[in-house]
Amino acid sequence: MAAHTFHKPRASQVPPVPHAPYAPHAAYGCTEPHEHYAPYVAHEPYGPPVPQDPHPVARRVQRALHPVNARLDDHLPSDHKLSQVYRVGAGLTGVLLVVFGVLGLVDRIGFFDTGGDTVLALNTNGALSVLSICIGGLLIAGMVVGGTFASTLNIVLGVLFIASGFVNLALLDTGLNFLAFKIQNVLFSFVVGVMLMWFGMYGRVGSALPHDNPYWRARHPEQAAREDRARLAQGRLARPDTV
């Protein structure tokens, strides 16, 4: 009895199965049907839901007061250099303000006198002299402390000096000019404010900070840890243990 042999038809002989074209991707702005992509299917986001911050305003205020959780270590070369810059900026400005205030008090100028009394080519009175001594003493304290405190103090007082320049510029010819400001005082306030901000932001703000910078490491802790591990592994390879 002869065996029956079944032959599989060739692929060219299999008739194609007709199908409808895929729906357009309206979610992506596509309006024409096409054959190459499946239709978009909405799905839930992967992973657990991200909890919302119950106190967003308080978090922003805390972030503004403490922008970087970094502490400078004077034993490290990079930290020591930054701390020295902050100390120099705070110390020089503080001494200048204290000298200006003391000379104003020595001349016994009226406390709210708005006359033409000048010290170091700047108009002054008793109130401005006392205020200058207080701010100068605060800057000298920042110089003694150094580190991140001095940097933040320089930035904050720099912003206040610039704001004071604008406010007193608007009050020059009014009866509210209790600090006896003149245009030279306004310019001096701008210069001191910009100088303090520069000293305070040095090595702290920028897009090209070196990776050994403490502020960069505080902003990128994971990448800093990876680089430390890679540096440690390279050191072990370059200096193999000897038995």
Side-chain angles (χ1 to χ4, degrees), residues 177-243:
N177 187 15
F178 299 115
L179 298 179
F181 260 58
K182 297 296 182 181
I183 189 63
Q184 60 266 28
N185 298 75
V186 173
L187 297 177
F188 177 77
S189 184
F190 286 149
V191 171
V192 171
V194 172
M195 183 176 66
L196 283 175
M197 289 187 65
W198 184 88
F199 277 111
M201 292 182 178
Y202 178 83
R204 184 170 183 171
V205 179
S207 59
L209 296 178
H211 288 195
D212 61 345
N213 183 283
Y215 298 105
W216 183 92
R217 295 177 64 85
R219 295 188 185 102
H220 308 84
E222 297 180 357
Q223 185 175 351
R226 288 196 300 268
E227 292 182 359
D228 289 342
R229 290 193 297 267
R231 192 178 302 110
L232 181 60
Q234 290 179 357
R236 289 177 178 175
L237 292 175
R239 189 178 38 141
D241 295 334
T242 57
V243 181

Side-chain angles (χ1 to χ4, degrees), residues 103-186:
L103 291 178
L105 293 180
V106 169
D107 289 345
R108 297 182 179 181
I109 304 172
F111 200 76
F112 290 112
D113 187 8
T114 58
D117 299 299
T118 60
V119 172
L120 300 178
L122 298 174
N123 208 58
T124 187
N125 59 12
L128 183 59
S129 299
V130 172
L131 183 61
S132 299
I133 293 175
C134 293
I135 297 177
L138 184 59
L139 285 170
I140 292 175
M143 176 194 66
V144 174
V145 175
T148 306
F149 175 78
S151 170
T152 304
L153 182 65
N154 287 340
I155 295 173
V156 171
L157 291 182
V159 173
L160 292 180
F161 264 94
I162 294 176
S164 172
F166 282 110
V167 171
N168 287 284
L169 180 62
L171 300 177
L172 283 182
D173 297 326
T174 66
L176 300 176
N177 187 15
F178 299 115
L179 298 179
F181 260 58
K182 297 296 182 181
I183 189 63
Q184 60 266 28
N185 298 75
V186 173

